[in-house]
Amino acid sequence: MLGRSNHSTTVQISNNDSIVAMVNPDVGTVSFFNTATKTKSGSASFGANSQPEGVAILPDNTTAVVILRQAQQLAKVTGINTTTPQVETLRATTGSEPTGVALTPTGATAFVANHGENTISIVDLRTMTATSLAMPAQPRAVAITNDGDGDDTDERAFVTMFFGDAVAEASDTGRIGKVVEVNVGTRTVTRTIDLQPFGDTGFSTTQLADGGFSGTTVGCSPNQLFGITIHNGKAYVPNVCVSPRGPVNKFTNLFAAVSVIDLTTNAEDRSPLGSAVISRLAQEQGGPTSSLLGVPVGITFVEGANIGYLVSQAGDMVQRIHYNAAVARGPISLGPDVAFGQINIRGAGGIKVPTGVIIGHANGTLYVNNWADRSLTIVNLMLQQVDAMGDGIVSEAKPGAGTPELSVLNGKKEFFTGTGRWADRGVNSCGSCHPDGLTDNVTWVFAAGPRQSTSLDGMYGKRTPGDQRVLNWTGIFDEMHDFELNTRGTAGGKGAITEGAVPTDTPFNLTVGVLLTGFTQTTRNDFLSGSTRAVVATRATLRDWDDIDNYGKTIRANRAPTNLDRSPNGAVDRGRIIFTTNNCHFCHGGQKWTSSQLPYVPSPDKNGSLPGVTGGPDAGTGLRTQTLDAGVIAGRPNEQLKVDIERGVALADGGTGNVGPERVTCVIRNVGTFDVNDVLERKADGTSAQGGKGFNPPSLMSVAGGAPYLHHGKVRTLTELFTLPYATHYQAGSVNFLPGGGVPPNEAMQVADLVEFLKSIDDSTTPIPLVPNQNICIGY
């Protein structure tokens, strides 16, 4: 029998503290380590495209189960205490995108969270057969109680819903975290527990000279509930706490929090020893140089004490947290009881990007899975420092120098870290808003207006990698490298487009006219003007953005839910026919499932800027400098068709309906989703947001998990997309389209079929070609 409650994690330790198991998603293996010798003792491979995501070790200390996210399976490995672990042939089939596994105390049953569909799988580990239980939305992690009586039927499982439930979009306190309780014996849902927003994070946009903050502070809401751990009658839920209202600021948009549930009252614990914004405690107890612990992905506890260790993915940091009212520094004390402290796991080897943490039952040692570094860090808890081995034990070898595979791996490191040049105090990372490279489902209020985080799986065509989508809702970027200034602004780091020798290199000024080596045109290189890629290639010290771009090409869409009606002429087939008959592929066709495509190669010689005043910066325009194309589409000149749609009209409040410069105007589609009278549609200065003339169509990849929808996130479900308020949107390709003729029950049936088809779209779905003769992104 297991000695304590079991919970989802990417690194696990056996009941007798002799074996540590760690998953390696990128290479399809799980590694096993001997804790006595601190060496890798063996590994098991599940093959390409398996993506091991979580591991649990049975009470026998010789058997492990591993969830395979991409393969949608639960596999069993025996002989993990030997040098030749064996993968059993029989595997259980799970739902889509399994991300978390936990065991009942006897080890007889595994509970698996299926993030890609609204289910968990309950697996009998003797027969490897699974049953499915419905969940509200995107379950991510599981923890199961253990009362020590040897009877599994009286235990409870707790499942986190990854995204906070949005009760108000673009609001700092507009989301509520959800944890679902399941009766293990009856295998039924017994209740849902709410995790409330925090009204005061302690941070504001006004920072004082001493590093503190003054004025009105912001609140935040639980989102991205990565894990859950049960200890001493409570459940601890690390989460990314979001403050999307704006303005954009490195210290007021994203926080590390741990929400706490009292398992006796079955409610959130809001006492001084309960839920807390950990970033605030780090600021208060550690001061202005402490890590703010961005993207907390897991927490583990010391046996017999209310001492936990939280791991920060963005910060490469482990934080000791003591829940004890007797500690002088506060009821929730960070670091050793006598002084504040944090355990930096980065080491000489650099970026780690941890995904999980586990503590031994009795050996006083902590273990961290470093996903992007492919290593296991060992922390000595007596000394509160990384083991003398420093950078940890190699779990799997990295790709060879100069290989495309190494560039992708480096891109993952740079995308998911908030250390070094990428952020101030580990506060956030690109992955903070794009977990798994996809979306956090949050509507952020940017200078341009409200914007849902865009999933990046449709950024590049998988069948033709050079086919790139124009970036952002209003098409303001044409290269991944253009996010350099965004990164500097939202995270506070100096970025990676820099000049001079590392580490004293300085940020390249992209907002002044510069003549780059090999080009003839002097241009700015921000947004659509010039080319940040060319700056990297010809002037910058580092090539990190090239790596991130290469990683972006590999981002995989979530696999479609397994419980769709795929029978011949079933709902998916019927929905596809409705989709094509009504020309939905006018905006959402092609291999990327979007009509958006970059029709030119960005270049300082082609993407213009206007000369500024003497000694001042040029004005970035993004207008091309070469001769206009005189071709004709549908009886109209190409350029007139492209530019007319971009011409702004004055709005009552002084704003305009303009979209981006002419270079990308051709991708914009006006489908009626912008409402100038909506109080949400405002820029930071209070005038109307961008989008009055349309938006850059998002991809439909992973749309099943992308709620809420549209640029403003006001549509909560796919079904709601096909209601009359959004008729202009679904009639964009067919003005007379009305699902089911608008007659119940035919309307409900057709909408249900459309939704079923939309949910079925993933990397394997046969694309529907774009509507012929409608592509005006030509002639460049």
Side-chain angles (χ1 to χ4, degrees), residues 142-167:
V142 190
I144 301 176
T145 60
N146 185 347
D147 60 14
D149 65 2
D151 178 13
D152 288 345
T153 62
D154 60 356
E155 304 297 346
R156 296 182 289 167
F158 292 87
V159 187
T160 66
M161 303 302 105
F162 190 52
F163 302 114
D165 185 37
V167 295

Side-chain angles (χ1 to χ4, degrees), residues 624 629 633 637-646 662 665-666 776-780:
R624 62 183 184 165
D629 176 17
I633 292 180
N638 286 352
E639 297 309 324
Q640 179 186 343
L641 189 61
K642 295 171 186 176
V643 176
D644 274 357
I645 194 175
E646 188 268 339
E662 171 257 337
T665 297
C666 59
I776 60 175
C777 289
I778 60 176
Y780 286 102

Side-chain angles (χ1 to χ4, degrees), residues 297-422:
V297 292
I299 190 168
T300 183
F301 282 84
V302 175
E303 293 297 303
N306 288 325
I307 298 173
Y309 287 85
L310 180 75
V311 66
S312 159
Q313 181 177 91
D316 276 352
M317 195 73 65
V318 172
Q319 179 66 66
R320 183 184 193 265
I321 306 177
H322 193 177
Y323 293 85
N324 186 347
V327 177
R329 288 187 296 111
I332 303 177
S333 177
L334 304 190
D337 291 348
V338 295
F340 175 82
Q342 298 178 319
I343 304 170
N344 188 337
I345 64 172
R346 188 169 186 181
I351 299 168
K352 294 289 186 284
V353 189
T355 57
V357 59
I358 197 70
I359 197 168
H361 298 73
N363 67 355
T365 307
L366 186 86
Y367 304 89
V368 182
N369 179 336
N370 301 317
W371 165 46
D373 189 56
R374 298 187 183 177
S375 67
L376 179 76
T377 288
I378 302 175
V379 178
N380 184 315
L381 298 184
M382 180 68 69
L383 300 177
Q384 290 290 295
Q385 65 185 30
V386 173
D387 185 272
M389 303 180 72
D391 279 319
I393 311 171
V394 173
S395 180
E396 289 287 355
K398 298 183 183 69
T403 62
E405 292 78 14
L406 183 61
S407 177
V408 169
L409 181 62
N410 287 337
K412 290 176 182 176
K413 287 185 178 184
E414 291 140 7
F415 189 90
F416 288 99
T417 193
T419 61
R421 67 182 57 253
W422 290 104

Side-chain angles (χ1 to χ4, degrees), residues 518-599:
F519 295 92
T520 60
Q521 180 74 24
T522 298
T523 62
R524 287 171 49 155
N525 295 279
D526 54 337
F527 301 98
L528 293 171
S529 293
S531 168
T532 47
R533 187 194 300 270
V535 177
V536 169
T538 65
R539 289 284 298 274
T541 301
L542 303 172
R543 299 291 181 267
D544 292 0
W545 280 109
D546 290 344
D547 294 336
I548 294 175
D549 194 39
N550 287 332
Y551 162 62
K553 296 173 184 177
T554 70
I555 294 173
R556 180 178 65 82
N558 278 338
R559 293 193 63 181
T562 62
N563 50 9
L564 302 177
D565 177 11
R566 293 182 179 274
S567 61
N569 300 315
V572 171
D573 286 351
R574 295 194 301 267
R576 186 180 179 105
I577 292 171
I578 298 168
F579 186 93
T580 53
T581 300
N582 293 284
N583 291 328
C584 297
H585 50 305
F586 173 70
C587 292
H588 296 291
Q591 62 171 335
K592 304 188 306 298
W593 293 91
T594 170
S595 57
S596 176
Q597 62 176 351
L598 188 64

